Amino acid sequence: MKERIERLKKLTNIPHKEIVWLIEQAELAVKQREIIEENKRQQEVTVHQFRQAQKDIQHLSGDRKRYKQALEKIITNLNFAITVAQNELEGDVK
C-alpha cells in the first residue's frame, strides 16, 4: 500500500486536490488495516485468556470436590471419635 502511495505522489497528470484525497484515503486504509490487525491480535489474546480461565475453573472445581470429600471424611471420623468418647464416658459413669 505504501508503494502505491509513493506512486501516486509521483503522478503529474492528476490534479493536486485529487492526489491529496487519494493519498489521504490510502493512508486511512493503512491505518484501518493496522487497527483491524491489532483488534484481531487482542481478540486472540482474550480468547486465550478465557480458555485458560476455563481450565483454571475446572481445576479449582476438581480441587473443591477433593477438599469437600476429605472434609466429609474428617467429619465422619470426628463424629465416630465423639461417639466412642461418649460411650466411654457413659461406661465410666455407670
Side-chain angles (χ1 to χ4, degrees), residues 2-50:
K2 291 183 180 186
E3 294 169 1
R4 290 180 185 170
I5 293 171
E6 292 304 317
R7 266 192 270 143
L8 285 173
K9 287 180 181 178
K10 294 177 183 176
L11 293 176
T12 56
N13 59 348
I14 299 175
H16 183 70
K17 269 186 171 179
E18 291 180 18
I19 291 177
V20 170
W21 182 83
L22 287 172
I23 291 170
E24 288 172 353
Q25 294 304 309
E27 289 172 343
L28 179 61
V30 169
K31 288 178 185 177
Q32 288 174 337
R33 185 174 294 126
E34 289 171 354
I35 290 169
I36 289 169
E37 289 172 4
E38 177 60 20
N39 287 344
K40 283 182 182 178
R41 188 193 67 76
Q42 289 177 0
Q43 185 179 21
E44 289 171 0
V45 168
T46 302
V47 167
H48 175 72
Q49 289 173 338
F50 178 77

Side-chain angles (χ1 to χ4, degrees), residues 68-84:
K68 183 179 177 184
Q69 290 171 347
L71 185 57
E72 287 171 350
K73 285 181 184 179
I74 291 170
I75 291 171
T76 300
N77 290 339
L78 286 174
N79 284 334
F80 178 73
I82 290 169
T83 301
V84 169

